[in-house]
Amino acid sequence: MLQKFNEQNENIYIYVKDGLYKRAEAKISVFDSVVQGGDAVWEGLRIYDGGVFKLHEHLNRLMDSAHAMAFENIPSKEKIINCLYATLNANQMYDDVHTRLTLTRGEKITSGMDPRLNQFGPSLIILPEWKPLVYDNDNGITVISSAIRRNSPSFLDSKIHHNNLINNILAKIQANKAGVDAALMLDNYGFAAELNGSNIFVIRDGILFTPFADACLHGITRSQVLDLAKSEGISSQEKNLSLTEIYTADEMFCTGTWGELTPITEVDGRKILNKTGSHVTKRLQAAFKEDITNHITDIDKTVRI
Ligand code: PMP
Protein backbone atom coordinates (compact mmCIF):
# COMPACT_ATOMS: atom_id res chain seq x y z
CA MET A 1 0.00 0.00 0.00
CA LEU A 2 1.58 3.20 -1.15
CA GLN A 3 0.57 6.38 0.67
CA LYS A 4 -0.48 9.28 -1.53
CA PHE A 5 0.17 13.00 -1.25
CA ASN A 6 -2.66 14.59 0.70
CA GLU A 7 -3.41 18.17 -0.42
CA GLN A 8 -4.57 19.00 3.10
CA ASN A 9 -0.90 18.78 4.07
CA GLU A 10 0.25 21.33 1.48
CA ASN A 11 0.38 24.28 3.89
CA ILE A 12 0.90 22.70 7.28
CA TYR A 13 3.08 24.27 9.98
CA ILE A 14 6.07 22.24 11.12
CA TYR A 15 8.16 22.91 14.22
CA VAL A 16 11.91 22.94 13.48
CA LYS A 17 14.44 23.76 16.22
CA ASP A 18 13.13 27.07 17.45
CA GLY A 19 9.80 27.79 15.87
CA LEU A 20 7.04 27.03 13.39
CA TYR A 21 7.58 27.12 9.65
CA LYS A 22 5.31 26.54 6.68
CA ARG A 23 6.02 23.21 4.95
CA ALA A 24 8.01 24.85 2.12
CA GLU A 25 10.25 26.73 4.59
CA ALA A 26 10.69 23.93 7.14
CA LYS A 27 14.37 23.03 6.70
CA ILE A 28 17.19 21.47 8.68
CA SER A 29 20.90 22.32 8.31
CA VAL A 30 23.18 20.14 6.18
CA PHE A 31 25.40 20.13 9.28
CA ASP A 32 22.66 18.50 11.36
CA SER A 33 23.42 15.03 12.73
CA VAL A 34 20.35 13.52 11.15
CA VAL A 35 21.76 14.44 7.72
CA GLN A 36 25.32 13.47 8.61
CA GLY A 37 24.64 10.04 10.09
CA GLY A 38 20.97 9.37 10.79
CA ASP A 39 22.03 10.39 14.29
CA ALA A 40 18.60 11.07 15.73
CA VAL A 41 15.74 9.41 17.59
CA TRP A 42 12.04 9.58 16.79
CA GLU A 43 8.47 8.71 17.68
CA GLY A 44 5.27 8.45 15.66
CA LEU A 45 2.25 9.77 17.57
CA ARG A 46 -1.42 9.52 16.69
CA ILE A 47 -4.00 12.15 17.51
CA TYR A 48 -7.55 10.97 18.23
CA ASP A 49 -10.51 13.13 19.15
CA GLY A 50 -8.62 16.10 20.62
CA GLY A 51 -5.96 14.07 22.39
CA VAL A 52 -2.59 12.39 21.93
CA PHE A 53 -2.62 8.61 22.23
CA LYS A 54 -0.16 7.18 24.80
CA LEU A 55 1.69 10.50 24.90
CA HIS A 56 3.79 9.73 27.96
CA GLU A 57 4.74 6.24 26.78
CA HIS A 58 6.01 7.74 23.51
CA LEU A 59 7.90 10.55 25.24
CA ASN A 60 9.44 8.14 27.75
CA ARG A 61 10.68 5.99 24.87
CA LEU A 62 12.05 9.07 23.10
CA MET A 63 13.86 10.14 26.28
CA ASP A 64 15.27 6.64 26.81
CA SER A 65 16.48 6.51 23.19
CA ALA A 66 18.14 9.94 23.48
CA HIS A 67 19.74 8.98 26.80
CA ALA A 68 21.04 5.67 25.38
CA MET A 69 22.56 7.63 22.50
CA ALA A 70 24.23 9.96 25.04
CA PHE A 71 22.59 13.12 23.65
CA GLU A 72 23.45 16.20 25.67
CA ASN A 73 21.04 18.93 26.78
CA ILE A 74 17.97 16.83 25.99
CA PRO A 75 14.90 19.10 26.15
CA SER A 76 12.48 18.28 28.98
CA LYS A 77 9.28 16.33 28.35
CA GLU A 78 7.35 19.47 29.36
CA LYS A 79 9.14 21.53 26.70
CA ILE A 80 8.47 18.90 24.01
CA ILE A 81 4.80 18.65 25.01
CA ASN A 82 4.47 22.44 24.83
CA CYS A 83 6.01 22.54 21.35
CA LEU A 84 3.81 19.63 20.27
CA TYR A 85 0.61 21.32 21.46
CA ALA A 86 1.64 24.64 19.89
CA THR A 87 2.26 22.89 16.56
CA LEU A 88 -1.07 21.05 16.63
CA ASN A 89 -2.88 24.26 17.62
CA ALA A 90 -1.24 26.22 14.78
CA ASN A 91 -2.58 23.59 12.38
CA GLN A 92 -5.91 23.11 14.16
CA MET A 93 -5.20 19.38 14.03
CA TYR A 94 -7.14 17.38 16.60
CA ASP A 95 -8.15 14.10 14.96
CA ASP A 96 -7.02 11.68 12.24
CA VAL A 97 -3.49 13.07 12.48
CA HIS A 98 -0.09 11.37 12.60
CA THR A 99 2.79 13.34 14.09
CA ARG A 100 6.41 12.46 13.56
CA LEU A 101 8.51 13.74 16.41
CA THR A 102 12.26 13.72 15.77
CA LEU A 103 15.07 14.72 18.09
CA THR A 104 18.47 14.91 16.39
CA ARG A 105 21.82 15.25 18.16
CA GLY A 106 21.85 18.72 16.62
CA GLU A 107 24.06 20.76 14.35
CA LYS A 108 27.79 20.08 14.04
CA ILE A 109 30.55 22.69 13.83
CA THR A 110 32.01 20.78 10.85
CA SER A 111 31.05 17.60 9.03
CA GLY A 112 32.10 14.42 10.83
CA MET A 113 30.91 11.53 12.92
CA ASP A 114 32.21 12.59 16.33
CA PRO A 115 29.41 13.70 18.70
CA ARG A 116 31.86 16.18 20.27
CA LEU A 117 31.35 18.23 17.09
CA ASN A 118 27.76 18.78 18.22
CA GLN A 119 28.02 21.96 20.25
CA PHE A 120 24.55 23.49 19.95
CA GLY A 121 22.25 20.93 21.62
CA PRO A 122 19.63 18.70 19.99
CA SER A 123 17.26 19.82 17.22
CA LEU A 124 13.56 19.09 17.71
CA ILE A 125 11.31 18.53 14.68
CA ILE A 126 7.54 18.12 15.00
CA LEU A 127 5.83 17.13 11.77
CA PRO A 128 2.06 16.65 12.05
CA GLU A 129 0.14 15.45 8.99
CA TRP A 130 -3.45 14.65 8.20
CA LYS A 131 -3.15 10.89 7.80
CA PRO A 132 -5.78 8.22 8.10
CA LEU A 133 -4.68 4.75 9.22
CA VAL A 134 -2.20 3.59 6.58
CA TYR A 135 -3.46 0.03 6.02
CA ASP A 136 -6.79 -1.52 5.09
CA ASN A 137 -7.57 -3.09 8.45
CA ASP A 138 -10.51 -5.09 7.08
CA ASN A 139 -8.79 -6.77 4.15
CA GLY A 140 -5.25 -6.81 5.51
CA ILE A 141 -1.84 -6.92 3.91
CA THR A 142 0.52 -9.44 2.32
CA VAL A 143 4.19 -9.84 3.23
CA ILE A 144 7.35 -11.71 2.29
CA SER A 145 10.17 -12.75 4.58
CA SER A 146 13.21 -10.64 3.85
CA ALA A 147 16.86 -11.65 3.51
CA ILE A 148 17.71 -8.56 5.58
CA ARG A 149 17.93 -9.51 9.25
CA ARG A 150 16.54 -7.19 11.92
CA ASN A 151 19.29 -5.85 14.16
CA SER A 152 19.92 -7.78 17.34
CA PRO A 153 21.48 -6.13 20.42
CA SER A 154 24.87 -7.49 19.21
CA PHE A 155 24.76 -5.04 16.31
CA LEU A 156 22.38 -2.17 16.93
CA ASP A 157 19.91 -2.50 19.76
CA SER A 158 16.33 -2.23 18.53
CA LYS A 159 15.43 -0.82 21.96
CA ILE A 160 16.75 2.48 20.60
CA HIS A 161 14.13 4.03 18.32
CA HIS A 162 16.70 5.72 16.09
CA ASN A 163 16.60 7.27 12.64
CA ASN A 164 19.16 4.95 11.11
CA LEU A 165 16.44 3.14 9.21
CA ILE A 166 18.48 1.55 6.40
CA ASN A 167 18.03 -1.89 7.95
CA ASN A 168 14.25 -1.58 7.59
CA ILE A 169 14.36 0.33 4.30
CA LEU A 170 16.37 -2.43 2.57
CA ALA A 171 13.78 -4.96 3.71
CA LYS A 172 10.96 -2.70 2.48
CA ILE A 173 12.65 -2.46 -0.94
CA GLN A 174 12.58 -6.26 -1.13
CA ALA A 175 8.87 -6.22 -0.32
CA ASN A 176 8.25 -3.55 -2.96
CA LYS A 177 10.14 -5.52 -5.60
CA ALA A 178 8.16 -8.63 -4.67
CA GLY A 179 4.87 -6.70 -5.02
CA VAL A 180 3.72 -7.15 -1.42
CA ASP A 181 2.92 -4.61 1.29
CA ALA A 182 5.68 -5.18 3.83
CA ALA A 183 8.69 -7.27 4.74
CA LEU A 184 8.82 -9.78 7.57
CA MET A 185 12.28 -9.43 9.10
CA LEU A 186 13.90 -12.37 10.89
CA ASP A 187 16.36 -12.13 13.75
CA ASN A 188 19.94 -13.34 13.74
CA TYR A 189 18.79 -16.93 14.48
CA GLY A 190 16.12 -17.12 11.78
CA PHE A 191 13.13 -16.49 14.04
CA ALA A 192 10.60 -13.84 13.09
CA ALA A 193 11.34 -10.41 14.58
CA GLU A 194 8.83 -7.93 13.14
CA LEU A 195 7.72 -6.30 9.91
CA ASN A 196 9.88 -3.47 8.55
CA GLY A 197 7.70 -0.92 10.40
CA SER A 198 5.40 -2.78 12.78
CA ASN A 199 5.29 -5.61 15.32
CA ILE A 200 3.72 -8.99 14.64
CA PHE A 201 1.39 -11.42 16.36
CA VAL A 202 0.12 -14.86 15.36
CA ILE A 203 -2.75 -16.91 16.75
CA ARG A 204 -2.42 -20.67 16.94
CA ASP A 205 -5.20 -22.75 18.52
CA GLY A 206 -6.63 -19.67 20.24
CA ILE A 207 -3.33 -18.60 21.82
CA LEU A 208 -1.76 -15.27 20.90
CA PHE A 209 2.00 -15.31 20.25
CA THR A 210 4.45 -12.52 19.59
CA PRO A 211 8.25 -12.63 19.26
CA PHE A 212 10.34 -11.65 22.27
CA ALA A 213 11.19 -7.95 22.04
CA ASP A 214 14.88 -8.77 21.47
CA ALA A 215 15.32 -7.95 17.79
CA CYS A 216 12.23 -5.81 17.31
CA LEU A 217 11.07 -2.45 18.55
CA HIS A 218 9.30 -2.74 21.91
CA GLY A 219 6.18 -1.31 20.31
CA ILE A 220 3.68 0.66 22.36
CA THR A 221 0.79 -0.85 20.41
CA ARG A 222 2.39 -4.29 20.92
CA SER A 223 2.34 -3.91 24.68
CA GLN A 224 -1.20 -2.56 24.61
CA VAL A 225 -2.33 -5.62 22.62
CA LEU A 226 -0.74 -7.88 25.25
CA ASP A 227 -2.65 -5.96 27.96
CA LEU A 228 -5.89 -6.18 25.99
CA ALA A 229 -5.45 -9.93 25.49
CA LYS A 230 -5.23 -10.29 29.26
CA SER A 231 -8.42 -8.30 29.85
CA GLU A 232 -10.20 -10.22 27.06
CA GLY A 233 -9.20 -13.56 28.60
CA ILE A 234 -7.02 -14.51 25.59
CA SER A 235 -3.86 -16.45 26.53
CA SER A 236 -0.74 -14.78 25.22
CA GLN A 237 2.92 -15.64 25.16
CA GLU A 238 6.18 -14.15 23.90
CA LYS A 239 7.96 -16.87 21.92
CA ASN A 240 10.55 -17.55 19.24
CA LEU A 241 8.47 -18.07 16.09
CA SER A 242 9.87 -19.91 13.07
CA LEU A 243 8.60 -19.23 9.56
CA THR A 244 6.83 -22.61 9.57
CA GLU A 245 4.92 -21.63 12.71
CA ILE A 246 3.91 -18.47 10.91
CA TYR A 247 2.87 -20.14 7.63
CA THR A 248 0.68 -22.55 9.59
CA ALA A 249 -0.88 -19.99 11.97
CA ASP A 250 -4.66 -19.52 12.14
CA GLU A 251 -4.40 -15.73 12.15
CA MET A 252 -1.67 -13.15 11.93
CA PHE A 253 -1.66 -9.38 12.34
CA CYS A 254 0.74 -6.50 12.75
CA THR A 255 0.58 -3.54 15.13
CA GLY A 256 1.80 0.03 15.12
CA THR A 257 0.75 3.57 15.85
CA TRP A 258 0.13 4.46 12.22
CA GLY A 259 -1.98 1.40 11.40
CA GLU A 260 -3.36 0.06 14.73
CA LEU A 261 -4.05 -3.69 14.17
CA THR A 262 -3.83 -4.96 10.58
CA PRO A 263 -4.48 -8.56 9.49
CA ILE A 264 -1.71 -10.28 7.51
CA THR A 265 -3.29 -12.59 4.97
CA GLU A 266 -0.29 -14.06 3.17
CA VAL A 267 3.39 -14.72 3.98
CA ASP A 268 5.78 -15.83 1.20
CA GLY A 269 2.82 -16.84 -0.97
CA ARG A 270 1.34 -19.02 1.80
CA LYS A 271 -2.19 -17.94 2.67
CA ILE A 272 -2.81 -17.74 6.39
CA LEU A 273 -5.59 -20.36 6.65
CA ASN A 274 -7.78 -20.07 9.70
CA LYS A 275 -8.15 -23.77 10.47
CA THR A 276 -9.91 -23.24 13.79
CA GLY A 277 -12.18 -20.39 12.62
CA SER A 278 -10.96 -18.17 15.47
CA HIS A 279 -11.75 -14.43 15.62
CA VAL A 280 -8.97 -13.22 17.87
CA THR A 281 -7.79 -10.45 15.50
CA LYS A 282 -11.31 -9.02 15.18
CA ARG A 283 -11.85 -9.17 18.94
CA LEU A 284 -8.58 -7.38 19.62
CA GLN A 285 -9.22 -4.78 16.90
CA ALA A 286 -12.57 -3.96 18.52
CA ALA A 287 -11.08 -3.97 22.03
CA PHE A 288 -8.33 -1.61 20.84
CA LYS A 289 -10.86 0.87 19.37
CA GLU A 290 -12.83 0.86 22.60
CA ASP A 291 -9.72 1.32 24.71
CA ILE A 292 -8.39 4.37 22.82
CA THR A 293 -10.22 6.93 24.97
CA ASN A 294 -8.59 5.46 28.10
CA HIS A 295 -5.15 6.43 26.81
CA ILE A 296 -5.69 9.92 25.42
CA THR A 297 -4.01 13.01 26.86
CA ASP A 298 -6.11 16.05 25.96
CA ILE A 299 -4.33 18.70 23.90
CA ASP A 300 -4.13 22.05 25.70
CA LYS A 301 -5.63 24.26 23.01
CA THR A 302 -4.36 27.49 24.62
CA VAL A 303 -0.65 26.78 24.03
CA ARG A 304 1.05 29.03 21.42
CA ILE A 305 4.63 29.87 20.58
N1 PMP B 1 8.51 -1.61 14.64
C1 PMP B 1 9.14 -0.62 14.01
C2 PMP B 1 10.42 -0.91 13.30
C3 PMP B 1 8.60 0.68 14.01
O1 PMP B 1 9.26 1.68 13.38
C4 PMP B 1 7.38 0.92 14.68
C5 PMP B 1 6.74 2.30 14.71
N2 PMP B 1 7.58 3.34 14.85
C6 PMP B 1 6.75 -0.15 15.32
C7 PMP B 1 7.34 -1.40 15.29
C8 PMP B 1 5.44 0.04 16.07
O2 PMP B 1 5.66 0.68 17.29
P1 PMP B 1 4.51 1.49 18.03
O3 PMP B 1 3.41 0.53 18.32
O4 PMP B 1 5.17 1.99 19.26
O5 PMP B 1 4.07 2.56 17.10
Side-chain angles (χ1 to χ4, degrees), residues 42 58 61 150 161 168 194 196-199 217 219-222 255-257:
W42 71 285
H58 281 284
R61 190 168 64 185
R150 188 74 175 98
H161 199 12
N168 312 61
E194 62 175 337
N196 57 277
S198 50
N199 292 111
L217 183 71
I220 288 166
T221 322
R222 173 187 182 276
T255 63
T257 300

